Amino acid sequence: MSKNSFAINYDSEIGEIIVNVSVFNQKTGIGTNLKALWDTGANCCVISETIAKKLKLPNIAEVQMKHANGIAIVKTHMLSLMLPNNILFKDIRAMSCKPIHSFDMIIGMNVISKGNMSIVHNKAGIKFSFKYPPTRTK
Amino acid sequence: MERKLSKQKIALNYFIKHQKELCKRFFGKELLLSGRKIIDAFDSLGEAVEIGEQKFGAGNYSVYKCLPDDSAYSINIPYSLRLDNV
């Protein structure tokens, strides 16, 4: 696997994909390691407000969050995100919310769509991989 | 009543109301606003945020990407996120 991609192997059925990542304040360089859930159902990343406060991530706008019961107004922040194998994304938008289950971040389509993501079944089990920059097919 | 709203709330309302004309002028750019005032348009979010922080300080500016659909100012809630997390 090339250095601009990473893979996670699973023995059996995948319930959720959790990846170890690092999140940074772009200006100060202060960062932390997190567990992040990959979620193609989110059009934007989500980060725990505890982490956002700890890293003093800049609060860059309020946006609408649409859900089953209506619309809420939430804050968005800017951060840098490092995936395994040092795949670095800067200028990433993430909304903040109260701490989420067993992970501190959700990786949404604003990151996922930047690369090639795949889930492949093979003899060993199931392999999830992500490659950046994406390989463009003809 | 708008005097009671934060600058960021005012900016959100302004962006939604004027999205069409803003996209005509600044399509694809990161638009820096302070309340209802358009400050500048940038190629990158990082540049816009740096200027916003310098000129206005935390919480007193907003940056929206000038796109014509509601993804510019709204987020779809992930099913994995409980509503009471917000």
Side-chain angles (χ1 to χ4, degrees):
Chain A
M1 179 141 291
S2 63
K3 63 178 179 181
N4 56 353
S5 62
F6 71 92
I8 303 173
N9 294 298
Y10 299 86
D11 293 334
S12 59
E13 196 174 293
I14 306 173
E16 54 191 14
I17 295 170
I18 308 272
V19 179
N20 292 324
V21 303
S22 300
V23 168
F24 300 91
N25 178 314
Q26 274 179 213
K27 186 177 179 183
T28 65
I30 295 171
T32 190
N33 298 325
L34 303 174
K35 291 195 179 301
L37 172 76
W38 281 64
D39 192 338
T40 57
N43 67 345
C44 178
C45 293
V46 181
I47 191 158
S48 153
E49 65 184 18
T50 307
I51 302 291
K53 280 180 187 167
K54 177 183 167 186
L55 299 182
K56 296 181 183 169
L57 297 178
N59 167 11
I60 65 170
E62 291 190 352
V63 296
Q64 293 179 347
M65 186 184 70
K66 297 174 183 176
H67 55 82
N69 294 338
I71 296 175
I73 303 296
V74 296
K75 293 189 191 302
T76 52
H77 305 269
M78 184 182 74
L79 52 84
S80 285
L81 172 68
M82 184 170 284
L83 303 180
N85 268 355
N86 297 323
I87 300 172
L88 178 66
F89 294 109
K90 292 187 174 182
D91 298 357
I92 298 298
R93 280 181 165 88
M95 68 166 258
S96 59
C97 72
K98 292 178 189 143
I100 323 158
H101 305 299
S102 57
F103 39 86
D104 295 303
M105 184 174 186
I106 294 172
I107 295 180
M109 290 300 289
N110 58 332
V111 169
I112 296 172
S113 63
K114 290 181 184 294
N116 285 358
M117 183 185 86
S118 70
I119 295 176
V120 176
H121 290 245
N122 54 35
K123 286 180 185 175
I126 303 170
K127 181 169 123 176
F128 162 79
S129 65
F130 181 80
K131 185 179 182 212
Y132 178 80
T135 306
R136 298 184 192 278
T137 55
K138 291 179 185 175
Chain B
M1 292 308 286
E2 275 201 354
R3 275 176 290 171
K4 295 184 182 178
L5 297 178
S6 68
K7 278 193 171 179
Q8 286 193 328
K9 277 195 174 50
I10 292 170
L12 173 60
N13 293 340
Y14 177 84
F15 183 84
I16 293 170
K17 189 175 176 183
H18 298 279
Q19 185 180 18
K20 200 172 175 181
E21 65 212 59
L22 290 172
C23 282
K24 277 183 186 169
R25 287 172 66 189
F26 305 110
F27 180 77
K29 299 281 190 183
E30 298 283 357
L31 192 64
L32 174 63
L33 300 168
S34 181
R36 282 185 219 89
K37 194 174 174 189
I38 300 170
I39 307 303
D40 208 342
F42 299 86
D43 290 329
S44 77
L45 180 61
E47 289 177 277
V49 170
E50 187 174 351
I51 299 300
E53 290 278 315
Q54 281 173 9
K55 283 192 168 179
F56 303 102
N60 292 316
Y61 67 92
S62 301
V63 184
Y64 294 101
K65 185 151 190 167
C66 273
L67 297 172
D69 55 51
D70 63 5
S71 67
Y73 60 84
S74 69
I75 289 171
N76 295 329
I77 184 171
Y79 295 119
S80 53
L81 194 65
R82 288 173 50 183
L83 293 178
D84 59 4
N85 275 90
V86 175

